Amino acid sequence: MKISFENPDKVNGLLTLTVEEADYKENVEKTLKSYRKKANIPGFRPGQVPMSLVKRQFGASVKMDEINKFVGEQIYKYVQDNKIQMLGEPLPSEKQERQDLENESTFTFVFDIAVAPEFKVSLTGRDKIDYYTITVDDKLIDQQVEMFTSRMGSYEKAESYEDNDILKGDLRELDENGNTKEEGITVEAASVMPSYIKVEEQKNLFNGAKVGDIITFNPKKAYPENDAEIASLLKIDREAAKEANADFSFQVTEISRFKKHAIDQELFDQTFGEGEVKDEKAFREKIAEGLKEQLQADQDFKFIQDVRAHCEKKVGKLEFPDALLKRIMLNSNQDKGEKFVEDNYENSIKELKWHLIKEQLVAAQNIKIDDADIKETAMEAARAQFAQYGMTNIPEEYLENYANEILKQKNSADALVDRSIDRKLSAVLKTVVKLNQKEVSVEDFNKMMSE
């Protein structure tokens, strides 16, 4: 076997591999012997098929498979041994000559290899990068208190309707004279939330309604272009809802009003655990602590984005083997075609540039990721998800079970690894660069992130 590599412009590589019979012959014979043991050919007992027949039937395909396997192994070994930073997969070169795999014994394969551009990037205390700390003020704490009291709130009976109340009652379809239609649509104990009605004229019909009142309204006019809402209210299918143009009477049988939970010991215990908080002042302080922990991940994410922008500016424009990378991208997305490649190539190169920069930063700081890091990242994701719903008092065992479920999802594996790297990289780089500390409101922070 002979192998050579040309890299004249530093980003386009040409790898030539010559394979001789001695490189694959032994494996071909070994595979054919295995085939012979298993071959089921009429007229011969298992294991007794003549080798000449096995070679005639399977020889060419086995030879092809073994050559392809050998070539793949040698390419990646050469790339690794020679520390070639290959981008994507090697592609058969346009310089490749036709090979007769069935009749020849020596073969020459030529591959185009995309090589990463050479550059150096490093960060020191001379690099100044913004670090935004989100201010946990009374407004933000008030929003959390509002969420906790709402989450533990309950419905109580009311005598007259106010905005956001839920009305229950009996719905009856009316005829053109305003009378109950014989064999018309009837729904008992139907629920209506007038505040969700988009048309003011129909919504206002419910103003001041009391238990026992009868209100005449038109669902089609109340929910224009929302057949799903009409179907749900009238307990009919979507097709029938399209034709439901009649007025309906609605006799109110019950009015329910949502009441937030009082800020009391029960709320404290349910939110943070029994006895953890004794008064409203401590409750708000505990909320502030939790917010700071939750917001830390967002702050660090923004920091990594600013590190990225800073490093990309330091590195400047990089030269990539565009034509070859587009071929590689097309080869990986054959079902999407050339337009997909052209539309997405520029963004793909931006991400590739950051990936190469981050590789150097990670190597410089000797950052390693293991299963424990990925597990902790999954735990962090679980905590954040529960925290979004105001659930802060989740037992560690439950969090761990939830994290394990996240880890089982194959499509989340790469994201968890990337997030684990970012967490460690952020922690280290905050001690390496000079931080330009800035305080910012959550509204301004979110505005920055959206931009």
Side-chain angles (χ1 to χ4, degrees):
M1 185 269 294
K2 297 176 184 177
I3 191 164
S4 62
F5 182 67
E6 301 172 45
N7 185 210
D9 63 3
K10 301 300 183 185
V11 292
N12 285 283
L14 190 70
L15 188 145
T16 304
L17 180 69
T18 300
V19 181
E20 298 170 348
E21 189 174 21
D23 297 320
Y24 59 83
K25 184 177 180 181
E26 184 179 341
N27 285 336
V28 170
E29 289 177 352
K30 194 181 297 182
T31 303
L32 287 173
K33 285 177 182 177
S34 175
Y35 274 35
R36 186 189 182 202
K37 291 177 183 177
K38 301 173 186 176
N40 187 8
I41 296 177
F44 298 96
R45 286 162 49 193
Q48 299 300 314
V49 180
M51 180 56 80
S52 59
L53 185 58
V54 173
K55 283 183 178 180
R56 190 160 59 247
Q57 190 160 349
F58 303 108
S61 62
V62 168
K63 180 180 174 183
M64 227 176 298
D65 288 344
E66 292 300 333
I67 291 172
N68 285 334
K69 192 189 301 181
F70 178 79
V71 168
E73 289 170 353
Q74 294 306 312
I75 289 175
Y76 285 102
K77 184 177 185 301
Y78 185 87
V79 166
Q80 192 172 35
D81 290 347
N82 290 273
K83 296 181 172 55
I84 299 170
Q85 197 169 9
M86 182 171 65
L87 304 176
E89 297 292 316
L91 288 184
S93 174
E94 293 172 352
K95 296 179 180 180
Q96 175 70 58
E97 295 181 0
R98 187 177 180 83
Q99 307 280 319
D100 186 351
L101 290 176
E102 190 169 350
N103 297 311
E104 295 178 2
S105 59
T106 300
F107 309 96
T108 298
F109 300 97
V110 186
F111 293 92
D112 290 325
I113 291 182
V115 181
E118 292 181 5
F119 69 95
K120 292 289 183 184
V121 62
S122 62
L123 293 173
T124 68
R126 292 190 296 274
D127 293 283
K128 190 175 182 180
I129 300 177
D130 292 339
Y131 188 86
Y132 292 91
T133 300
I134 301 170
T135 306
V136 178
D137 55 16
D138 286 339
K139 181 181 177 183
L140 198 54
I141 295 171
D142 288 341
Q143 290 173 353
Q144 290 293 299
V145 172
E146 172 91 2
M147 181 181 67
F148 288 130
T149 56
S150 295
R151 184 169 61 87
M152 284 188 59
S154 59
Y155 283 92
E156 58 183 24
K157 299 290 186 293
E159 287 301 315
S160 60
Y161 172 76
E162 292 180 5
D163 204 23
N164 293 319
D165 287 351
I166 297 176
L167 303 178
K168 279 191 177 180
D170 298 331
L171 270 172
R172 289 182 172 79
E173 186 178 2
L174 305 178
D175 61 21
E176 61 275 8
N177 298 316
N179 300 317
T180 300
K181 184 178 180 180
E182 288 187 24
E183 299 183 2
I185 298 171
T186 299
V187 182
E188 295 182 355
S191 292
V192 176
M193 200 167 183
S195 57
Y196 282 3
I197 294 176
K198 302 296 183 186
V199 181
E200 291 296 322
E201 177 194 3
Q202 292 291 310
K203 183 191 293 188
N204 293 338
L205 296 173
F206 295 88
N207 289 348
K210 297 180 177 59
V211 174
D213 286 356
I214 298 176
I215 298 156
T216 299
F217 80 113
N218 189 300
K220 196 71 170 180
K221 294 178 181 177
Y223 308 104
E225 299 178 6
N226 195 339
D227 294 330
E229 188 72 39
I230 296 169
S232 175
L233 175 65
L234 302 180
K235 311 298 182 191
I236 56 178
D237 61 39
R238 290 280 288 271
E239 289 303 312
K242 291 178 182 179
E243 309 300 324
N245 297 307
D247 287 343
F248 280 74
S249 67
F250 180 76
Q251 183 168 19
V252 182
T253 58
E254 184 182 293
I255 301 174
S256 297
R257 181 168 302 151
F258 184 76
K259 184 179 179 181
K260 294 173 189 172
H261 198 285
I263 302 175
D264 57 14
Q265 192 61 48
E266 184 182 25
L267 178 68
F268 305 154
D269 291 346
Q270 286 292 323
T271 304
F272 293 114
E274 192 169 345
E276 289 291 320
V277 172
K278 298 293 187 182
D279 54 37
E280 186 175 352
K281 181 174 180 293
F283 182 58
R284 293 177 68 86
E285 288 173 351
K286 191 80 171 174
I287 288 173
E289 288 175 17
L291 282 170
K292 286 175 183 176
E293 288 181 11
Q294 292 173 41
L295 295 172
Q296 183 71 51
D298 294 333
Q299 293 168 182
D300 288 349
F301 178 78
K302 176 71 172 82
F303 173 64
I304 286 293
Q305 297 305 305
D306 289 338
V307 167
R308 172 177 178 169
H310 179 82
C311 290
E312 286 176 342
K313 188 175 180 181
K314 282 187 78 170
V315 169
K317 182 175 175 58
L318 295 177
E319 181 188 357
F320 286 94
D322 296 320
L324 180 51
L325 285 177
K326 286 181 180 180
R327 280 176 58 205
I328 293 171
M329 194 172 174
L330 180 61
N331 190 58
S332 300
N333 297 275
Q334 292 181 5
D335 57 323
K336 296 175 182 175
E338 292 184 4
K339 187 176 186 309
F340 172 84
V341 173
E342 290 300 327
D343 291 346
N344 292 277
Y345 182 73
E346 185 177 347
N347 189 58
S348 175
I349 288 298
K350 286 179 182 177
E351 294 304 314
L352 178 57
K353 180 180 177 180
W354 168 234
H355 173 75
L356 295 173
I357 291 171
K358 189 159 74 167
E359 276 189 340
Q360 290 195 27
L361 297 179
V362 167
Q365 303 305 327
N366 198 29
I367 291 172
K368 308 290 184 187
I369 298 297
D370 57 24
D371 290 344
D373 295 314
I374 297 171
K375 176 72 172 288
E376 179 52 38
T377 300
M379 292 279 282
E380 181 190 73
R383 285 191 198 95
Q385 194 157 340
F386 284 116
Q388 285 181 347
Y389 301 103
M391 301 170 71
T392 58
N393 188 28
I394 304 295
E396 282 296 305
E397 181 183 356
Y398 193 89
L399 278 173
E400 188 166 353
N401 289 337
Y402 194 86
N404 287 335
E405 289 303 314
I406 295 175
L407 289 167
K408 289 177 185 176
Q409 298 169 15
K410 291 182 180 179
N411 58 352
S412 66
D414 290 344
L416 286 173
V417 171
D418 285 344
R419 179 68 192 128
S420 298
I421 292 171
D422 284 352
R423 285 175 62 221
K424 280 197 169 183
L425 187 60
S426 174
V428 173
L429 291 183
K430 281 189 288 184
T431 67
V432 171
V433 303
K434 182 178 176 60
L435 295 179
N436 183 26
Q437 299 277 5
K438 295 183 177 182
E439 287 201 3
V440 64
S441 69
V442 69
E443 290 84 5
D444 288 341
F445 183 85
N446 289 337
K447 185 178 179 182
M448 280 192 299
M449 293 304 293
S450 66
E451 290 171 353

